[in-house]
């Protein structure tokens, strides 16, 4: 640390320089995050100093968090769902598995059953909670094999996990079938809709993945991905409003006596940012944005196939994957564990960016 401090001017010149080393979103095709919506930025700035970890001091902000949960619950066909704002999918998934685990305390060696496509956060959650993670292979369509899932469940299983919009291939598992399986085995069913949770409700022909299915216990959804909020904004929703209380611990020095969240101090800013986007755009505005992202995904797939780069699979959400070895600079793409090129058509990836990318990759492989 500097002994004397430095001038603000000097400091921010240094920061600007560093910020220029960051990638320009114009070339980022690999991220599930995006440029936050201007109303999210405005709300974020307005609520900068709020701490949801001490809700008794920030009653207004805490009520906005409740409103966000109600908006998402309504979107997921259960307005009275419980829940809270997390730092993202990772925390939501950890907490969902914790809930499942405490619901069956009598089990000595608990396990959870997840698809092979599960996000790596489940690895972290299982490590932290000492849960055995059983992985179910995917079918040819990159969706969880339901027969295999049912096979893996035994008397020590506390949770079955399904993905609604997988990180790598953008696929939705057979959620309705999995919900029935979980129900018949009396285990929790957690739907990881971190990405798809703010895509699927706005599509015209999507299958149910939410609380409209009786077996679904909890849902993870990330407003800092397709919700265009500022980072960090995730949410965990629970079917029973009081379910989270099973995680309560005593909090001696706060305005509330108990807390079930994983984080202590929690920012209100991105939470209000998330609510701002949903309320500003409404269902119609969200539909328009999602329709644009899906259209761009289709255009990208069609364009790539003309160049001889076939899709790995036809995705359910705006994640496109291809058999393709190399892409030109300075485009930032990602690669799946099976070696497929992966591009996420986020809201900042406008049609002109797709066309520019197609032109560059076409020239490179000409
Ligand atoms: C992004 C993602 C996560 C992890 O979310 P973070 O916000 O990065 O913690 C979990 N599950 C799925 C399906 C995701 O796409």
């Amino acid at each position: 640390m500097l002994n004397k401090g430095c001038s603000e001017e000097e400091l921010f010149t240094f920061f600007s320089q560093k910020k220029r080393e960051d990638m320009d979103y114009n070339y980022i095709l690999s991220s599930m995050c995006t440029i936050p919506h201007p109303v999210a930025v405005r709300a974020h700035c307005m609520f900068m100093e709020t701490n949801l970890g001490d809700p008794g001091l920030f009653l207004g902000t805490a009520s906005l968090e409740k409103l966000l949960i109600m908006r998402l619950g309504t979107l997921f066909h259960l307005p009275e769902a419980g829940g809270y704002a997390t730092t993202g999918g990772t925390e939501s998934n950890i907490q969902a598995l914790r809930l499942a685990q405490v619901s069956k305390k009598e089990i000595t060696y608990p396990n959870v059953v997840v698809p092979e496509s599960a996000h790596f956060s489940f690895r972290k959650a299982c490590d932290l909670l000492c849960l055995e993670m059983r992985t179910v292979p995917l079918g040819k369509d990159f969706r969880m094999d339901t027969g295999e899932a049912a096979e893996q469940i035994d008397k020590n299983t506390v949770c079955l996990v399904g993905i609604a919009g997988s990180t790598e291939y953008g696929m939705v598992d057979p959620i309705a079938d999995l919900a029935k399986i979980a129900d018949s085995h009396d285990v929790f069913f957690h739907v990881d809709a971190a990405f798809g949770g703010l895509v699927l409700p706005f599509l015209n022909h999507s299958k149910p993945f939410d609380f409209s299915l009786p077996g679904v216990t909890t849902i993870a959804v990330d407003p800092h991905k397709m919700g265009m909020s500022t980072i960090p904004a995730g949410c965990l929703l629970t079917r029973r409003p009081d379910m989270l209380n099973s995680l309560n611990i005593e909090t001696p020095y706060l305005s509330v006596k108990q807390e079930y969240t994983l984080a202590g101090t929690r920012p209100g800013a991105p939470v209000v940012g998330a609510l701002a986007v949903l309320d500003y755009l409404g269902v119609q505005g969200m539909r328009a944005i999602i329709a644009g992202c899906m259209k761009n995904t289709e255009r990208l797939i069609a364009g790539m196939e003309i160049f001889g780069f076939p899709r790995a699979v036809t995705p359910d959400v705006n994640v496109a994957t291809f058999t393709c070895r190399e892409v030109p600079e300075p485009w930032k793409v990602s690669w799946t564990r099976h070696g497929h090129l992966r591009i996420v058509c986020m809201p900042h990836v406008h049609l002109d960016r797709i066309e520019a990318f197609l032109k560059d990759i076409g020239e490179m492989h000409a």
Side-chain angles (χ1 to χ4, degrees):
M1 208 179 141
L2 302 176
N3 194 27
K4 214 170 153 280
C6 68
S7 77
E8 190 171 335
E9 194 54 37
E10 205 181 333
L11 191 61
F12 281 85
T13 306
F14 172 62
F15 289 167
S16 303
Q17 205 181 325
K18 281 292 162 192
K19 196 153 189 229
R20 279 195 296 274
E21 292 174 19
D22 289 351
M23 273 300 292
D24 178 343
Y25 258 110
N26 270 314
Y27 294 94
I28 300 181
L29 305 178
S30 59
S31 180
M32 287 192 151
C33 287
T34 191
I35 302 169
H37 192 286
V39 299
V41 175
R42 184 172 172 187
H44 190 109
C45 294
M46 187 172 174
F47 286 80
M48 195 73 83
E49 74 284 16
T50 60
N51 171 21
L52 286 169
D54 210 348
L57 304 182
F58 301 97
L59 292 173
T61 312
S63 73
L64 292 177
E65 179 184 19
K66 287 213 169 66
L67 205 52
L68 174 65
I69 296 303
M70 196 178 79
R71 291 280 186 276
L72 293 169
T74 306
L75 206 55
F76 299 158
H77 300 99
L78 189 67
E80 66 274 21
Y84 81 99
T86 65
T87 49
T90 300
E91 182 180 338
S92 302
N93 289 339
I94 292 170
Q95 290 283 83
L97 295 197
R98 253 183 106 196
L99 279 172
Q101 188 176 31
V102 301
S103 78
K104 293 198 174 175
K105 280 206 190 79
E106 67 285 1
I107 297 178
T108 317
Y109 299 109
N111 69 65
V112 298
V113 176
V114 310
E116 215 168 62
S117 52
H119 185 264
F120 53 79
S121 49
F122 287 100
R123 185 73 268 160
K124 299 182 189 177
C126 290
D127 279 355
L128 282 166
L129 301 170
C130 299
L131 292 164
E132 180 200 339
M133 188 168 98
R134 297 189 172 175
T135 308
V136 176
L138 308 183
K140 275 198 198 64
D141 56 359
F142 292 88
R143 293 187 175 93
M144 191 182 202
D145 184 314
T146 50
E148 281 274 351
E151 293 251 306
Q152 299 260 9
I153 297 176
D154 65 14
K155 61 181 192 337
N156 291 327
T157 302
V158 296
C159 194
L160 175 66
V161 173
I163 318 283
S166 61
T167 315
E168 287 193 307
Y169 290 92
M171 302 309 288
V172 179
D173 286 330
I175 302 294
D177 295 342
L178 293 169
K180 277 194 204 129
I181 292 171
D183 208 23
S184 70
H185 286 82
D186 189 31
V187 297
F188 275 30
F189 181 38
H190 174 59
V191 177
D192 183 358
F195 187 79
L198 285 169
V199 177
L200 300 169
F202 306 111
L203 294 177
N204 286 329
H205 305 288
S206 82
K207 296 195 195 100
F209 72 99
D210 59 19
F211 292 122
S212 59
L213 305 166
V216 173
T217 326
T218 47
I219 301 177
V221 56
D222 279 357
H224 66 206
K225 291 179 177 169
M226 288 304 290
M228 294 163 282
S229 183
T230 49
I231 298 169
C235 286
L236 175 65
L237 280 94
T238 63
R239 174 177 292 279
R240 278 191 289 107
D242 62 347
M243 213 162 159
L244 283 160
N245 290 332
S246 65
L247 300 181
N248 265 337
I249 51 107
E250 313 269 306
T251 51
Y253 61 83
L254 297 181
S255 57
V256 285
K257 294 292 150 242
Q258 294 190 308
E259 145 179 318
Y260 48 68
T261 57
L262 188 56
T265 302
R266 296 191 298 130
V271 176
V272 187
L275 180 67
V277 176
L278 297 183
D279 280 3
Y280 176 76
L281 292 175
V283 173
Q284 285 185 8
M286 282 299 290
R287 270 182 177 275
I289 288 175
I290 301 306
C293 292
M294 293 306 289
K295 219 168 147 216
N296 291 344
T297 308
E298 283 159 27
R299 165 63 192 139
L300 174 66
I301 293 174
M304 288 292 279
E305 291 193 333
I306 288 172
F307 292 137
F309 303 119
R311 73 191 80 179
V313 66
T314 301
D316 295 318
V317 295
N318 42 321
V319 178
T321 46
F322 304 95
T323 304
C324 174
R325 286 236 186 79
E326 212 187 345
V327 302
E329 292 281 323
W331 298 98
K332 273 285 174 210
V333 299
S334 58
W335 305 91
T336 70
R337 61 195 119 167
H338 299 293
H340 290 117
L341 162 63
R342 166 183 174 271
I343 290 176
V344 191
C345 295
M346 294 301 290
H348 70 270
V349 182
H350 299 293
L351 186 57
D352 69 304
R353 304 315 301 153
I354 302 271
E355 299 298 351
F357 172 76
L358 285 171
K359 183 168 167 288
D360 285 359
I361 197 164
E363 282 170 5
M364 180 183 203
H365 292 268

